[in-house]
């Protein structure tokens, strides 16, 4: 086929990795092609990221087209996003376009990486529902029908999971199973509120409504696009569908140790970008006010010129007054947006009791850290106390965020 007969490739979106609210209108292709494409937005855009999938691309496009032509004919598109594969996958895909009119192809030459390939594909997509599937037939295409059905039922995110009923992996080595589960465990430690929302956060096979990720600047790394979507999207309803991860027939996996390191980097990047910095600063300021209240009440109760009470009793009362001071400020200022959704004295009393218990736990931790730093590591006692207070402030903040002022979990059906 001569080059002129090839349909044009998709222009590569530039700039930040942000999916637009509405489907883009192609303007810089040939008149007839962009004319055809710039018709009404369509329902479903499925991105197929490829690197050296020359021996799979025909089969996957054929299977996906056959399947989707049955359920949503002329209302879907397949977007192959190829990173300039040495085996010319992009060119092989481009040659398929005349036979599959809903196929579009993007050849990336300046960027590389699975996650960014998917997002660039979604940026060029026209669908109100976006999806991703691997090109190597390890993700069974027929599962798409169940995923689409879940989106139809109202799910914001429909995930193909290996770890629910009907899920599984073909004969993975023990090592691969261990690495996959280990990666998931690491994610649960670093990003519990993200990774715990699905049974298979490592999967690269899912559909998501455009509007739950539109406008969110994404900043992924490596292979795990789903954790980026979970971390940044405003996702209420998650549906999971079991699937068996197939054996690859042609080509080989591109997963190396680099992807595992990138996964760790990705988790840390998401952690810090999701860390509620402003809320934490407010919490620390309130904590500082508590120090002054504690000192003032201690002086008032214990000093010979005032009530002259015994030191321990004065300290306990002073600490309790400081805890109540901190609770009142935190409840109104630091977590005001959360507590306003949990009105009523009973709810407030519940929060105060939880806050109190966590702060008392923090006090014990404070003493333990202080002794460890001073007696074992021989750190100066005042510096040790400052470090202990800093560590315990993080502990108090995080546990209170999760327990006392917990945003009621959105329902997961
Ligand atoms: N554009 C682009 N750029 N595509 C890539 C790149 C890249 O750098 N690296 C891999 N791909 C494509 C492959 O061509 C394939 O279509 C898909 O991404 C998955 O790559 P594999 O190398 O086959 O990954 P895997 O099979 O080991 O793991 C896959 O399945 C797991 C379970 O769903 C990945 O999708 C994992 O993220 C996923 O956890
Ligand atoms: Mn694969």
């Amino acid at each position: 086929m001569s080059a002129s007969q090839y349909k044009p490739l998709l222009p590569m979106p530039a700039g930040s990795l942000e999916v637009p609210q509405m489907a883009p209108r192609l303007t810089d292709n040939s008149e007839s092609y962009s004319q055809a494409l710039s018709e009404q937005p369509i329902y479903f855009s499925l991105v197929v990221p490829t690197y050296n999938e020359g021996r799979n691309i025909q089969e996957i496009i054929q299977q996906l087209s056959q399947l989707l032509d049955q359920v949503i004919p002329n209302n879907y598109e397949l977007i192959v996003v190829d990173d300039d594969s040495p085996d010319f996958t992009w060119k092989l895909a481009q040659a398929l376009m005349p036979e599959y009119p809903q196929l579009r192809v993007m050849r990336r030459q300046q960027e590389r990486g699975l996650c960014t390939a998917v997002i660039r594909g979604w940026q060029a997509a026209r669908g109100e529902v976006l999806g991703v599937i691997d090109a190597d037939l390890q993700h069974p295409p027929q599962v798409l029908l169940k995923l689409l059905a879940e989106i139809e039922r109202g799910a914001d995110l429909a995930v193909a999971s290996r770890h629910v009923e009907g899920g599984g992996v073909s004969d993975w080595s023990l090592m691969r199973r261990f690495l996959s589960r280990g990666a998931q465990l690491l994610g649960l430690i670093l990003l519990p509120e993200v990774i715990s929302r699905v049974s298979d956060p490592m999967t690269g096979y899912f559909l998501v409504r455009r509007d739950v990720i539109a406008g969110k600047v994404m900043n992924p790394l490596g292979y795990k696009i789903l954790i980026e979507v979970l971390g940044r999207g405003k996702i209420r309803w998650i549906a999971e569908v079991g699937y068996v991860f197939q054996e690859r027939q042609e080509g080989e996996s591109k997963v190396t140790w680099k992807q595992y390191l990138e996964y760790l980097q990705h988790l840390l990047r998401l952690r810090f970008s999701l860390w509620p910095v402003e809320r934490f600063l407010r919490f620390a300021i309130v904590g500082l006010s508590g120090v002054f209240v504690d000192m003032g009440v201690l002086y008032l109760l214990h000093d010979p010129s005032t009530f002259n009470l015994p030191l321990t009793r004065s300290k306990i009362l002073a600490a309790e007054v400081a805890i109540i001071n901190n609770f009142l400020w935190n409840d109104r200022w630091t977590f005001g947006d959360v507590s306003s959704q949990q009105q009523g004295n009973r709810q407030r009393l519940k929060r105060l009791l939880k806050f109190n218990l966590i702060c008392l736990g923090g006090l014990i931790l404070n003493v333990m850290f202080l002794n460890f730093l001073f007696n074992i590591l021989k750190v100066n006692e005042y510096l040790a106390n400052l470090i202990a207070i800093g560590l315990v402030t993080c502990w108090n903040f995080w546990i209170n965020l999760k327990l006392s002022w917990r945003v009621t979990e959105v329902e997961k059906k």
Side-chain angles (χ1 to χ4, degrees):
M1 178 185 278
S2 68
S4 59
Q5 284 169 297
Y6 281 113
K7 285 198 163 184
L9 294 172
L10 270 173
M12 220 280 283
S16 67
L17 293 161
E18 184 182 333
V19 173
Q21 288 289 356
M22 277 314 290
R25 290 174 72 88
L26 282 168
T27 51
D28 50 1
N29 279 308
S30 64
E31 194 44 39
S32 58
Y33 182 53
S34 59
Q35 203 59 39
L37 282 179
S38 63
E39 64 208 30
Q40 288 309 314
I42 53 174
Y43 178 65
F44 179 43
S45 299
L46 182 62
V47 167
V48 185
T50 58
Y51 192 73
N52 281 344
E53 300 296 350
R55 283 179 284 168
N56 289 312
I57 194 68
Q58 155 103 34
E59 183 59 26
I60 186 71
I61 297 301
Q62 193 270 326
Q63 286 195 26
L64 290 173
S65 304
Q66 198 173 8
L67 204 72
L68 294 171
D69 282 344
Q70 287 164 23
V71 289
I72 41 175
N74 305 312
N75 206 3
Y76 74 92
E77 62 183 351
L78 303 177
I79 302 177
V80 168
V81 181
D82 183 69
D83 285 358
D84 209 17
S85 297
D87 74 353
F88 296 101
T89 305
W90 59 274
K91 207 171 187 67
L92 297 165
Q94 194 179 21
L96 296 171
M97 289 169 79
E99 189 183 350
Y100 299 99
Q102 72 294 342
L103 172 60
R104 299 161 81 192
V105 181
M106 188 188 294
R107 174 191 184 190
R108 299 200 307 169
Q109 291 172 287
Q110 279 77 36
E111 283 180 352
R112 260 224 62 180
L114 174 52
C115 279
T116 56
V118 175
I119 298 171
R120 291 300 186 199
W122 286 345
Q123 285 181 302
R126 292 174 294 152
E128 68 179 83
V129 177
L130 307 172
V132 54
I133 187 170
D134 289 356
D136 55 13
L137 298 157
Q138 288 191 281
H139 293 164
Q142 58 278 14
V143 171
L144 272 176
L145 304 185
K146 291 184 190 164
L147 294 172
L148 283 166
E150 290 300 336
I151 295 284
E152 272 304 289
R153 266 179 3 108
D156 296 319
L157 174 70
V159 179
S161 168
R162 293 161 291 184
H163 308 315
V164 292
E165 196 195 326
V169 289
S170 43
D171 50 350
W172 265 15
S173 66
L174 213 59
M175 184 60 162
R176 176 106 200 231
R177 286 173 198 265
F178 172 75
L179 284 171
S180 182
R181 283 302 197 172
Q184 186 167 353
L185 184 66
L186 183 65
L188 281 169
I189 294 166
L190 285 173
L191 268 175
E193 74 277 26
V194 172
I195 303 297
S196 64
R197 298 194 67 191
V198 290
S199 61
D200 185 0
M202 304 296 123
T203 186
Y205 189 11
F206 61 89
L207 312 187
V208 63
R209 285 186 187 287
R210 174 193 289 270
D211 56 9
V212 300
I213 54 170
K216 307 273 186 249
V217 177
M218 290 193 259
N219 190 14
L221 204 62
Y223 259 45
K224 305 306 172 193
I225 179 70
L226 180 58
I227 61 172
E228 188 71 10
V229 167
L230 280 168
R232 301 206 192 263
K234 51 181 193 317
I235 295 163
R236 301 184 58 78
W237 177 354
I238 299 174
E240 296 196 305
V241 171
Y243 86 100
V244 179
F245 188 68
Q246 305 297 305
E247 265 312 290
R248 186 187 255 270
Q249 303 307 320
E250 297 286 353
E252 57 283 326
S253 167
K254 269 60 82 176
V255 171
T256 61
W257 279 102
K258 184 171 167 274
Q259 271 71 39
Y260 285 99
L261 287 178
E262 284 179 340
Y263 169 66
L264 177 63
Q265 262 181 289
H266 189 187
L267 284 177
L268 292 171
R269 186 186 281 185
L270 253 182
R271 173 70 284 152
F272 289 110
S273 66
L274 296 178
W275 184 285
V277 177
E278 191 203 336
R279 222 194 267 281
F280 180 71
L281 290 176
R282 289 185 177 197
F283 189 84
I285 292 167
V286 169
L288 193 61
S289 77
V291 172
F292 289 105
V293 169
D294 185 312
M295 299 289 265
V297 174
L298 182 70
Y299 172 76
L300 197 68
L301 297 176
H302 173 64
D303 195 82
S305 63
T306 53
F307 290 95
N308 195 20
L309 290 180
L311 182 62
T312 307
R313 204 180 313 168
S314 307
K315 172 59 192 168
I316 291 168
L317 288 171
E320 190 47 42
V321 171
I323 286 175
I324 291 170
N325 164 77
N326 291 5
F327 171 75
L328 293 174
W329 279 107
N330 281 321
D331 201 42
R332 247 185 111 64
W333 185 47
T334 314
F335 297 99
D337 57 323
V338 180
S339 44
S340 60
Q341 293 169 18
Q342 300 162 1
Q343 297 277 4
N345 290 331
R346 212 168 73 83
Q347 289 269 38
R348 187 172 294 111
L349 185 65
K350 230 167 92 181
R351 290 196 298 272
L352 172 59
L353 289 176
K354 283 185 198 170
F355 183 74
N356 225 329
L357 280 174
I358 292 164
C359 289
L360 291 179
L363 205 55
I364 296 165
L365 269 179
N366 203 331
V367 171
M368 283 164 58
F369 282 140
L370 177 62
N371 276 288
F372 174 71
L373 291 165
F374 178 63
N375 295 316
I376 311 290
L377 300 186
K378 307 297 176 210
V379 174
N380 165 286
E381 64 270 46
Y382 299 108
L383 177 62
N385 191 37
L386 210 58
I387 296 167
I389 288 172
L391 291 172
V392 168
T393 303
C394 292
W395 147 273
N396 276 349
F397 174 72
W398 192 248
I399 302 297
N400 275 301
L401 181 71
K402 290 292 142 201
L403 295 182
S404 313
W405 284 281
R406 176 181 180 75
V407 177
T408 37
E409 264 309 291
V410 289
E411 65 199 10
K412 181 176 146 189
K413 293 183 186 173

